[in-house]
Amino acid sequence: MTRLTRTIAVAALATALAVVSGCSGSNESDGSGSDGSLEKVTYLTSFGNFGRDSYAWVAKDKGFFEEAGFDVEIKAGNGTGDNIKNIVGGQAEFTPIDLTGGLLQMGNGQAKDFVAVAAIQQRTMAAIIALEGAGITTPKDLEGKKLADTPGSVVRNLFPTYAKLAGVDATKVEWVNGQAQTLIGTLAGGQVAGIGQFVVGKPTVETVAKKPAVVLPYSDIMTDLYGMVLITSSKLAKEDPDKVRRFTQALLKGLEYSITHPKESGEILNKNVTTAPAAPAAAELELMGAYVRSAGSGAAVGVLDSERVARSIAILQGAGAIPPGLTPEQIIDFDVTPKS
């Protein structure tokens, strides 16, 4: 009887250990499957593959996505308008867009069924960049000039509001279509006097054009506007908020790492996208740091403030860019956004 009792006890202990081992291997907390597999996710960059978007490659290279349970495929995005269409259409799960561009599209009924879930930059980085010698040093100098940008770009779509507030006659500015990867070459080649860009694009523009650049930041005129925000589909945010939170946390971890280690992050981008030089990418990240961290407020990276979003909406409504009625809750899912 003693031997039988001992045998039963050993068998029971082995069963218990197997159960514990099975539970610990399920990775429910990080979202991976019971067999340790990773969830496949498609992510679009905001606009091509420049230093400003390298934080996604950093999150992948450093294993932040994998730790959160994801196998992420990173593809080049083509600006706010196209990126929203790809998210709503199911071609990707996550992408950054300019929040103001999203407000313009949603407020004017051009897009719906997407939500912002985290801030990438606390201030808009939208800008017009020209080269020295083009006769552009102030917003008023844009009159009579030809500018290029992608049709769905926030810089282009927000320009009428920027022009109105800056005292520029927007009807005297000609816009022509460009593509994300060739826009800077168009400027360097002299086909246009300026291009829609982000403030942090200055080092890359100067590297390609081999001339000093002149930057006209929209934030000089519109101080309340957020920059890029991470979006997903309204459906995904509603049906799987845990997945959205896990992905967001991993991406923001890559964002914080990239602005803290710009040189290494530029090299990571270049390793993954050989056409993206490391040095200009690092320079972009150095400039971007001041936009990612909320100056003076102490808010955590990624936080979105409802009152600030409401003021952004009011600016656009006051300029006649969108009709009344849009609220922050229609475009931000505050249930899944990072907390301050």
Side-chain angles (χ1 to χ4, degrees):
M1 291 298 294
T2 302
R3 183 177 300 171
L4 176 61
T5 301
R6 187 181 300 115
T7 301
I8 293 173
V10 170
L13 177 60
T15 300
L17 289 173
V19 170
V20 171
S21 175
C23 291
S24 63
S26 66
N27 287 327
E28 288 182 359
S29 61
D30 65 9
S32 55
S34 58
D35 59 352
S37 61
L38 302 173
E39 289 184 79
K40 292 189 178 297
V41 166
T42 300
Y43 172 91
L44 299 178
T45 67
S46 67
F47 190 75
N49 275 300
F50 298 100
R52 71 205 71 158
D53 270 303
S54 59
Y55 54 89
W57 292 106
V58 169
K60 183 170 184 174
D61 190 84
K62 289 293 180 182
F64 302 153
F65 285 144
E66 186 174 355
E67 289 169 6
F70 298 112
D71 175 12
V72 179
E73 181 181 11
I74 302 173
K75 296 182 178 181
N78 197 39
T80 294
D82 281 352
N83 285 3
I84 291 174
K85 290 177 184 177
N86 282 311
I87 290 296
V88 175
Q91 285 76 38
E93 285 91 346
F94 298 94
T95 189
I97 66 164
D98 189 280
L99 179 58
T100 306
L103 290 171
L104 289 170
Q105 293 236 343
M106 184 174 285
N108 288 309
Q110 297 168 328
K112 60 179 182 177
D113 299 329
F114 71 93
V115 288
V117 296
I120 303 299
Q121 292 119 18
Q122 294 290 324
R123 290 183 291 143
T124 181
M125 297 199 307
I128 293 169
I129 294 185
L131 299 176
E132 283 191 5
I136 297 175
T137 57
T138 69
K140 191 70 173 174
D141 296 330
L142 296 172
E143 293 180 357
K145 301 297 194 302
K146 182 188 291 186
L147 309 177
D149 204 348
T150 58
S153 160
V154 65
V155 177
R156 188 166 176 176
N157 289 335
L158 188 55
F159 181 75
T161 304
Y162 169 77
K164 183 176 181 178
L165 296 174
V168 176
D169 185 347
T171 64
K172 294 181 179 179
V173 180
E174 180 185 359
W175 284 93
V176 296
N177 294 338
Q179 293 298 318
Q181 300 298 340
T182 60
L183 210 53
I184 296 176
T186 301
L187 177 65
Q191 291 101 309
V192 294
I195 57 174
Q197 263 288 330
F198 286 150
V199 171
V200 296
K202 184 174 185 283
T204 303
V205 169
E206 292 179 334
T207 298
V208 173
K210 296 179 172 54
K211 285 184 179 180
V214 176
V215 182
L216 300 179
Y218 281 17
S219 60
D220 286 351
I221 306 296
M222 297 174 284
T223 58
D224 260 331
L225 303 184
Y226 277 96
M228 306 302 293
V229 294
L230 180 67
I231 69 165
T232 189
S233 67
S234 302
K235 184 175 184 290
L236 181 58
K238 181 179 180 180
E239 294 181 354
D240 200 344
D242 176 67
K243 178 178 181 177
V244 173
R245 291 189 189 97
R246 286 187 290 108
F247 184 89
T248 299
Q249 289 168 1
L251 185 70
L252 292 179
K253 193 172 179 181
L255 177 62
E256 290 196 77
Y257 190 96
S258 69
I259 61 174
T260 305
H261 306 87
K263 184 176 183 295
E264 180 188 355
S265 299
E267 291 167 353
I268 289 172
L269 174 64
N270 177 251
K271 179 177 70 174
N272 289 279
V273 185
T274 55
T275 55
E284 285 198 8
L285 289 170
E286 288 178 2
L287 290 173
M288 195 170 84
Y291 289 82
V292 171
R293 297 189 175 98
S294 182
S297 73
V301 169
V303 169
L304 285 162
D305 179 78
S306 178
E307 292 183 2
R308 271 195 64 195
V309 177
R311 291 198 296 271
S312 297
I313 293 172
I315 289 172
L316 298 177
Q317 290 173 343
I322 58 173
L326 186 64
T327 66
E329 289 72 22
Q330 287 174 264
I331 196 166
I332 313 291
D333 188 334
F334 290 104
D335 289 335
V336 297
T337 57
K339 307 307 176 188
S340 55

